[in-house]
Amino acid sequence: MQQLERDPEGRLDPEPVERLAAFLAQDWPYPDFWREPRFVAAAPELVRAWQPRPGLEGEVCRLLRDMGRFAACAWSLQLEATPGGLTAARMSDAMLAATVSGPGRARALLLYLQAIGYIEPAAAATGRELRFRTTPRLRDAMTSRMALELDVRAALDPAIGAVRERLDELFIEMMVTIGAVNQAQLRRHPAHKSPLDLFSQRYAGMNILADILLSGDHDDIFRSNLRPARSASDTARACGTSRMQVAGVLKAARAAGLLSDAPGGGITLSPLLVSELKALLSGTTELLAGVCRIVLREPPLRRG
């Protein structure tokens, strides 16, 4: 397969990228995935992909627990493959625009990635600012992480399944395209705060939320009905974190009105939380399906 079309400065063909970004920038709910029975049926597995699972160890599991680390790994791959390369300044700009973290943490994350062998100084670095390059260790970890997301969505769109079968070949182009679409979205609408930030910006927060969602009726996680109460110890064990961390996340979610305790025990999801979950799961599915079509040189939207 040929590489994606790029201009003389190395940028992707903007037309399909902008079309997908415009679709994703519209007011939610999207007109497609979230209404489909097959999507509702797949939702538990989409949420289960947030959790550590057998066969995933070390940093691959940690990438499931910390949004900042995951974003830094993703942007490292995207920045390295685009004009300007991987530098602290470009990482800071990218993560600040996405409201994932400020400049200070972006630099700290680069140091962390260097310490664990995910990036290293580029041998051919020139100029005053040090450039980095990613290592096979980072690429392997992120390929495994992306494989999880594609595996649980492969039955929802043929393009996702096609890219999953060739992920080793197409992985970098896919990551670059995701970055280009995200940047196009941010140019249209600056990143906004979501109630789900309460979970995603806390270590293991999304793992804890997944544990709550999957403790109820697995046929439809979008129901706001009662979930059985689980002990903080059980949830901490399932999520690979501490009981104190679980208690802190649940306390904050209750204070924000996203979760509430039902008389006689159990937890109920707020309508706002259910709506945000639909938006997140359908939005990421639409993003990945559109990106896969761009990588395969197909029209970015399902309706062409």
Side-chain angles (χ1 to χ4, degrees), residues 28 50 153 196 206 275-285:
W28 190 83
W50 300 345
R153 292 174 168 85
L196 289 177
M206 296 301 284
S275 176
E276 290 291 319
L277 285 166
K278 288 181 179 179
L280 173 65
L281 294 175
S282 61
T284 52
T285 302

Side-chain angles (χ1 to χ4, degrees), residues 112-215:
Y112 170 77
L113 295 182
Q114 188 174 6
I116 64 173
Y118 273 24
I119 63 173
E120 60 189 11
T126 59
R128 298 180 62 182
E129 184 169 23
L130 179 65
R131 288 194 181 192
F132 297 91
R133 64 187 176 195
T134 62
T135 66
R137 187 174 180 182
L138 168 58
R139 294 190 289 275
D140 288 347
M142 286 296 288
T143 302
S144 296
R145 182 67 188 89
M146 185 57 66
L148 281 178
E149 298 294 341
L150 298 182
D151 282 340
V152 297
R153 292 174 168 85
L156 297 176
D157 189 282
I160 296 177
V163 169
R164 175 63 183 96
E165 291 178 358
R166 305 173 64 182
L167 184 59
D168 288 342
E169 171 194 351
L170 301 175
F171 173 67
I172 295 298
E173 290 289 359
M174 184 176 183
M175 296 304 296
V176 170
T177 307
I178 290 173
V181 174
N182 285 337
Q183 289 172 337
Q185 287 181 269
L186 290 170
R187 285 194 298 270
R188 291 173 177 273
H189 298 290
H192 65 279
K193 292 291 184 180
S194 163
L196 289 177
D197 291 347
L198 184 147
F199 298 97
S200 66
Q201 295 185 3
R202 286 174 166 81
Y203 185 75
M206 296 301 284
N207 309 143
I208 295 166
L209 177 58
D211 189 70
I212 294 169
L213 296 171
L214 295 172
S215 68

Side-chain angles (χ1 to χ4, degrees), residues 2 5 12 16 25 59 73 77 88 116 121 124 129 147 173 207-208 236 239 242 252 261 274 285 288 292 299:
Q2 295 177 331
E5 295 291 340
L12 295 177
E59 189 59 30
C73 289
L77 292 163
I116 64 173
E129 184 169 23
E173 290 289 359
N207 309 143
I208 295 166
C239 297
S242 69
D261 295 316
V274 172
T285 302
L288 289 174
C292 287

